[in-house]
Amino acid sequence: KRTVVLTMKASVIEMFLVLLVTGVHSNKETSKKIKRPKFTVPQINCDVKAGKIINPEFIVKCPAGCQDPRFHVYGTDVYASYSSVCSAAVHSGVLDNSGGKILVRKVAGLSGYKGSYSNGVQSLSLPRWRESFIVLESKPKKGVTYPSALTYSSSKSPAAQAGETTKAHQRPPIPATTAQPVTLMQLLAVTVAVATPTILPRPSPSAASTTSIPRPEPVGQRSQEMDLWSATTYTSSQNRPGADPGRVPKEELSTQSLEPVSLGDPNCKIDLSFLIDGSTSIGKRRFRIQKQLLAGVAQALDIGPAGPLMGVVQYGDNPATHFNLKTHMNSRDLKTAIEKITQRGGLSNVGRAISFVTKNFFSKANGNRSSAPNVVVVMVDGWPTDKVEEASRLARESGINIFFITIEGAAENEKQYVVEPNFANKAVCRTNGFYSFHVQSWFGLHKTLQPLVKRVCDTDRLACSKTCLNSADIGFVIDGSSSVGTGNFRTVLQFVTNLTKEFEISDTDTRIGAVQYTYEQRLEFGFDQYSSKPDILNAIKRVGYWSGGTSTGAAINFALEQLFKKSKPNKRKLMILITDGRSYDDVRIPAMAAHLKGVITYAIGVAWAAQEELEVIATHPARDHSFFVDEFDNLYQYVPRIIQNICTEFNSQPRN
């Protein structure tokens, strides 16, 4: 009997193990055949607001035509969730009016949202809102599953009206014939039965099927015994009302990997590019110290869409961008990326790198924001192997604030090898010491961290940022006809002086030129003749009264040819014309020529000037660009209004 019992036990165990292996193998084979469902991007309409969508992060497709002012947007860069998702995408520059795919990420609410005009969309201001969102290009994060169907806060969503499925939780169907693995509970049950010291009855076919292999179940039902993994891993999901205990919906799993997003420090909203030295001479150890400074800056700045953004360009023989402004939107990801940077080697061509950044880095496609100052921090080991002065001048004229950190400069016996003496002062935004750091040793580089962060965040002192007062070529076209008279002509010159005083004058900031006209025209001084405010003001005082007729049309043509033809490409061109009478010649064609050449024209008429003629000369809308005053002595009253209009127009357009 003992022999028979042991033989039967061995047979049962052997049979069970065969069935167990067969079941596992069958399950593996079946799972191979189950393909993952293809991710489909849900579509939404232009009027869908972010607050109506519950998902914390999602990819959607916007239709064309969302630039329409009917769809309201609140904020700049970071938007209140009361905004239209697709209109905000157009405002941010991620999409144009033709529509497309975007990634939307919910973030915390703000205490205030500032409106602005951008990309054909006028966003509005809002005091506060409970929730915000940012719009990014539709590049999914690794390891994050995005919903194929959105969850809306209302029972009947706009997407549902459009025929889109909006179920919150959908799972791909599992074929009903899928073999199920043997559970641990069933294994224990059989083991206990085998260990019982009695003669086992021969199992019937039905009994074997119920104890050894669970029968295939219809989709949506669960086996009677919960497996151990489900019981321990998904306990929290059992507490959700109506939830399937033991399973977490696909969308819920994806949101668990999303972490709170830092908006960044709003008191340091800058677009920052680090130009790091990757030349061969720097060596691996000093290159690593350089990266440590970058990581420290990334941590101290609190990177985020409402605060500073940072990219890195490495230079050697040629520059290369490691990542741009929109690649990393928080300090942690940025530090991780900095750690992975490897040294390129080569020469130390800093000038070429600065030119590269000016032309390529600060673009809308790379994440440049019109509302944030552009800042470049250049790190140099020793000295550059090319010249930096001309490249830096063009960068400053483009509104870029250049900082230089030079480490271990040339010794006395090495100065003969320096290509451009005093290169740092020729490159930086201003030579007042604010923009320059000289470090005696690489081991002291860490001491520059705090002062550097403090300076780049001091946006009030970033003097090279483009503003309405430092980025124009302004040409005054002054009527010197006989009807003006000597006394009134001096009053006109005082009006020109008062306007000029409001601007920042230098060869890289605003430049001033002047033309006087009667029947003929005379260039009093061009844009490149004087580069300081005192010199310009003295030149205005020296302009002599001419006297003669009034040919305003010919004067506009002369100014375009002799003055604005020599204007710099990256300067705003402003013509301020002052006249006291009707022109003897036609002004329509010359005025049209000025408009077509991008010259913004302000027309100021005094006494006998024809208002309809002023409106033809002035840039559209005429109400903002043409002014009439009855007496010369009242000209001064219009200085604040003209300056305000110039700045309002400038601030409504992208500045960098």
Side-chain angles (χ1 to χ4, degrees):
K1 287 184 179 181
R2 187 173 300 167
T3 302
V4 171
V5 169
L6 291 175
T7 303
M8 289 181 63
K9 286 182 179 180
S11 299
V12 170
I13 292 172
E14 182 179 359
M15 178 183 68
F16 176 77
L17 291 175
V18 169
L19 292 174
L20 176 63
V21 172
T22 303
V24 171
H25 178 73
S26 175
N27 187 61
K28 285 184 178 179
E29 290 296 320
T30 307
S31 64
K32 289 181 181 178
K33 298 178 183 179
I34 300 175
K35 295 183 178 179
R36 285 188 176 185
K38 187 178 179 181
F39 171 64
T40 55
V41 178
Q43 298 188 15
I44 61 174
N45 298 326
C46 296
D47 60 349
V48 174
K49 299 174 182 178
K52 289 290 184 181
I53 301 172
I54 294 175
N55 307 79
E57 184 169 335
F58 52 89
I59 295 176
V60 292
K61 185 175 183 181
C62 293
C66 295
Q67 204 177 47
D68 195 303
R70 292 179 301 160
F71 311 120
H72 295 164
V73 179
Y74 300 88
T76 301
D77 297 328
V78 179
Y79 303 96
S81 62
Y82 195 62
S83 307
S84 157
V85 172
C86 296
S87 293
V90 176
H91 183 273
S92 69
V94 174
L95 288 185
D96 56 25
N97 201 36
S98 61
K101 298 177 184 178
I102 57 171
L103 192 155
V104 179
R105 184 179 297 159
K106 297 286 189 70
V107 293
L110 300 179
S111 59
Y113 299 84
K114 186 177 180 181
S116 65
Y117 180 84
S118 180
N119 303 308
V121 176
Q122 177 65 59
S123 69
L124 307 174
S125 297
L126 195 66
R128 66 177 60 193
W129 199 250
R130 62 182 178 272
E131 183 184 56
S132 309
F133 68 97
I134 57 176
V135 183
L136 306 168
E137 289 186 352
S138 57
K139 293 181 180 179
K141 274 186 176 181
K142 289 184 179 180
V144 178
T145 304
Y146 295 90
S148 295
L150 302 176
T151 308
Y152 290 89
S153 58
S154 59
S155 58
K156 193 172 184 180
S157 67
Q161 295 171 6
E164 180 185 334
T165 304
T166 58
K167 288 185 178 181
H169 308 308
Q170 293 182 330
R171 294 192 298 269
I174 300 174
T177 57
T178 302
Q180 302 293 325
V182 178
T183 66
L184 180 62
M185 295 293 289
Q186 292 167 331
L187 178 62
L188 292 174
V190 174
T191 304
V192 171
V194 170
T196 305
T198 57
I199 300 174
L200 296 176
R202 185 186 299 271
S204 66
S206 60
S209 64
T210 56
T211 58
S212 300
I213 304 176
R215 298 174 61 183
E217 301 172 351
V219 177
Q221 295 185 9
R222 305 183 68 243
S223 62
Q224 294 178 352
E225 300 289 346
M226 181 190 297
D227 62 78
L228 191 61
W229 177 261
S230 298
T232 56
T233 306
Y234 298 143
T235 304
S236 61
S237 66
Q238 299 176 30
N239 299 325
R240 285 189 294 105
D244 185 354
R247 292 185 185 268
V248 173
K250 180 180 176 182
E251 285 77 6
E252 186 174 324
L253 281 171
S254 68
T255 60
Q256 290 175 350
S257 63
L258 300 177
E259 298 181 0
V261 179
S262 170
L263 293 176
D265 181 3
N267 297 317
C268 182
K269 188 176 180 180
I270 59 171
D271 288 343
L272 172 62
S273 171
F274 259 92
L275 268 177
I276 63 172
D277 191 340
S279 60
T280 304
S281 62
I282 192 174
K284 291 184 178 180
R285 185 178 185 183
R286 287 178 288 186
F287 188 79
R288 186 167 60 251
I289 294 172
Q290 188 176 213
K291 291 201 305 179
Q292 289 170 356
L293 177 69
L294 262 66
V297 170
Q299 182 64 43
L301 283 179
D302 185 16
I303 301 296
L309 296 178
M310 178 174 154
V312 174
V313 174
Q314 183 181 169
Y315 67 87
D317 290 335
N318 294 295
T321 302
H322 283 284
F323 38 85
N324 60 35
L325 295 167
K326 65 181 181 182
T327 307
H328 303 293
M329 303 298 285
N330 61 70
S331 296
R332 184 194 62 197
D333 292 347
L334 184 57
K335 288 174 64 180
T336 302
I338 290 169
E339 182 59 35
K340 296 177 181 178
I341 295 175
T342 57
Q343 186 179 358
R344 293 172 58 84
L347 298 174
S348 184
N349 290 330
V350 178
R352 184 177 296 178
I354 293 173
S355 295
F356 172 82
V357 168
T358 303
K359 295 175 183 177
N360 302 293
F361 188 86
F362 292 108
S363 66
K364 187 165 68 174
N366 286 336
N368 187 47
R369 300 167 292 180
S370 60
S371 57
N374 292 162
V375 179
V376 170
V377 177
V378 184
M379 302 186 67
V380 183
D381 174 42
W383 59 89
T385 52
D386 64 348
K387 293 186 177 182
V388 303
E389 183 174 13
E390 180 63 17
S392 299
R393 183 184 64 81
L394 293 174
R396 295 194 304 269
E397 288 180 355
S398 299
I400 298 173
N401 297 272
I402 300 180
F403 289 77
F404 252 64
I405 302 177
T406 55
I407 307 103
E408 297 182 3
E412 197 63 37
N413 62 339
E414 295 175 322
K415 289 184 178 179
Q416 58 181 318
Y417 304 114
V418 177
V419 176
E420 190 176 30
N422 201 26
F423 61 88
N425 279 343
K426 294 176 181 178
V428 293
C429 179
R430 293 289 187 272
T431 57
N432 55 8
F434 182 78
Y435 294 88
S436 302
F437 296 87
H438 180 69
V439 184
Q440 297 293 334
S441 167
W442 276 94
F443 298 108
L445 183 61
H446 66 280
K447 296 178 182 179
T448 65
L449 174 59
Q450 292 303 326
L452 176 63
V453 169
K454 185 177 180 180
R455 292 185 196 182
V456 298
C457 289
D458 191 354
T459 54
D460 292 336
R461 293 188 64 182
L462 295 180
C464 283
S465 297
K466 279 189 175 181
T467 70
C468 58
L469 302 177
N470 71 359
S471 59
D473 281 344
I474 303 175
F476 289 96
V477 180
I478 305 167
D479 185 350
S481 62
S482 303
S483 58
V484 175
T486 304
N488 288 334
F489 188 78
R490 304 320 300 178
T491 303
V492 171
L493 292 182
Q494 185 59 51
F495 171 70
V496 172
T497 297
N498 292 343
L499 281 172
T500 302
K501 286 180 178 178
E502 298 293 326
F503 293 91
E504 299 171 23
I505 309 295
S506 80
D507 59 339
T508 58
D509 294 315
T510 292
R511 304 187 303 169
I512 305 292
V515 168
Q516 184 181 177
Y517 74 95
T518 58
Y519 283 126
E520 300 177 283
Q521 307 84 35
R522 183 168 74 196
L523 179 64
E524 299 293 351
F525 50 88
F527 293 134
D528 56 358
Q529 196 163 343
Y530 303 105
S531 59
S532 70
K533 188 176 291 187
D535 289 345
I536 288 288
L537 297 180
N538 287 330
I540 294 171
K541 289 179 182 178
R542 292 195 299 267
V543 173
Y545 176 49
W546 204 358
S547 186
T550 309
S551 295
T552 306
I556 295 173
N557 281 332
F558 181 86
L560 293 177
E561 186 67 25
Q562 299 298 320
L563 199 57
F564 289 100
K565 195 171 184 179
K566 299 178 182 179
S567 181
K568 294 184 178 180
N570 54 4
K571 296 286 188 183
R572 297 176 73 236
K573 302 173 183 67
L574 302 180
M575 181 191 297
I576 300 178
L577 185 143
I578 308 121
T579 182
D580 81 326
R582 184 181 293 274
S583 177
Y584 293 170
D585 62 356
D586 183 57
V587 300
R588 289 173 295 178
I589 294 176
M592 181 64 70
H595 300 161
L596 291 175
K597 290 181 179 181
V599 178
I600 301 169
T601 307
Y602 288 81
I604 294 98
V606 189
W608 301 279
Q611 287 190 337
E612 68 276 12
E613 199 171 76
L614 297 175
E615 292 176 358
V616 169
I617 295 170
T619 296
H620 180 79
R623 66 178 181 275
D624 296 330
H625 298 87
S626 66
F627 305 91
F628 179 81
V629 56
D630 53 357
E631 294 182 7
F632 285 94
D633 289 341
N634 293 330
L635 273 171
Y636 75 93
Q637 298 177 2
Y638 283 83
V639 171
R641 185 175 171 188
I642 293 170
I643 296 296
Q644 180 182 6
N645 285 12
I646 288 173
C647 287
T648 299
E649 185 172 47
F650 175 86
N651 292 332
S652 68
Q653 302 298 326
R655 283 184 270 174
N656 295 310

